[in-house]
Amino acid sequence: MPVIEHKQFIKAPIDICFDLARDVEVHTQTTLKTKERAVGGITRGLLQEGDSVTWEAVHFGIKQRLTAKVIFMEKPHSFVDVMVKGAFKSFIHIHQFIEEKEGTTMIDHFQFKSRFGPIGVLIDKLFLEKYMRKFISKRASDLKKLAEKTAI
């Protein structure tokens, strides 16, 4: 099961980083390349513990839907979402925020499992892990820019 961990230092207060990371409209802004948009569940505002959102996006040229549910939240330090329906067999995404002297360290811990047994393991190793690492890194970079602009 692939595990991706990405750390991003942001020169902005922890509250700003935490809220931007769970804002549905901001998620849409930071995933323009895949044309993500919320089409079910919570479609606007800040996600809370217990909320679900269905995302529609284009990955690998195919329009897909994925429903995720926020199963844990400790403001402003962490929240966890899991896939309840979608292309993966499973995923868990832990979002952590650590307050630093001059900003916030945001940590994404993303663990996923593809469908299709041994073929899925091969797909993960050949390209999906790299694709997801790039996706998470790009979104974190975009969140950093937005948070630092907001904090000014």
Side-chain angles (χ1 to χ4, degrees):
M1 181 178 294
V3 176
I4 297 167
E5 186 168 290
H6 182 270
K7 293 182 181 182
Q8 180 75 62
F9 179 75
I10 304 170
K11 290 183 180 180
I14 192 170
D15 293 330
I16 289 174
C17 298
F18 185 80
D19 286 348
L20 288 173
R22 63 192 180 103
D23 186 303
V24 174
E25 290 100 342
V26 169
H27 185 94
T28 301
Q29 291 172 27
T30 59
T31 55
L32 292 174
K33 186 176 180 183
T34 57
K35 302 175 186 168
E36 287 204 27
R37 62 188 187 104
V39 296
I42 304 301
T43 59
R44 302 180 65 91
L46 302 178
L47 293 169
Q48 303 291 338
E49 186 172 337
D51 286 347
S52 292
V53 59
T54 299
W55 300 104
E56 184 176 86
V58 178
H59 295 279
F60 306 110
I62 302 166
K63 188 183 285 188
Q64 302 176 38
R65 285 194 178 193
L66 182 142
T67 301
K69 181 175 184 172
V70 178
I71 61 165
F72 174 81
M73 185 171 291
E74 182 185 326
K75 297 176 187 175
H77 301 286
S78 67
F79 68 96
V80 178
D81 60 290
V82 297
M83 186 198 78
V84 294
K85 186 176 180 183
F88 294 100
K89 182 172 183 178
S90 65
F91 86 55
I92 182 166
H93 190 172
I94 302 166
H95 308 256
Q96 293 178 290
F97 304 85
I98 301 167
E99 193 166 20
E100 307 283 355
K101 186 176 181 181
E102 296 186 24
T104 303
T105 297
M106 180 176 74
I107 304 168
D108 285 287
H109 182 89
F110 185 75
Q111 185 173 342
F112 67 96
K113 188 171 187 177
S114 294
R115 298 186 184 278
F116 313 119
I119 294 171
V121 172
L122 187 62
I123 290 169
D124 290 346
K125 292 295 179 202
L126 290 177
F127 67 89
L128 192 54
E129 185 174 354
K130 181 179 178 184
Y131 178 85
M132 292 307 301
R133 187 175 303 281
K134 186 176 177 182
F135 180 83
I136 289 167
S137 175
K138 172 74 168 103
R139 181 163 188 275
S141 175
D142 290 349
L143 278 172
K144 172 185 172 70
K145 290 174 191 167
L146 189 54
E148 289 177 349
K149 192 163 123 181
T150 303
I152 294 175

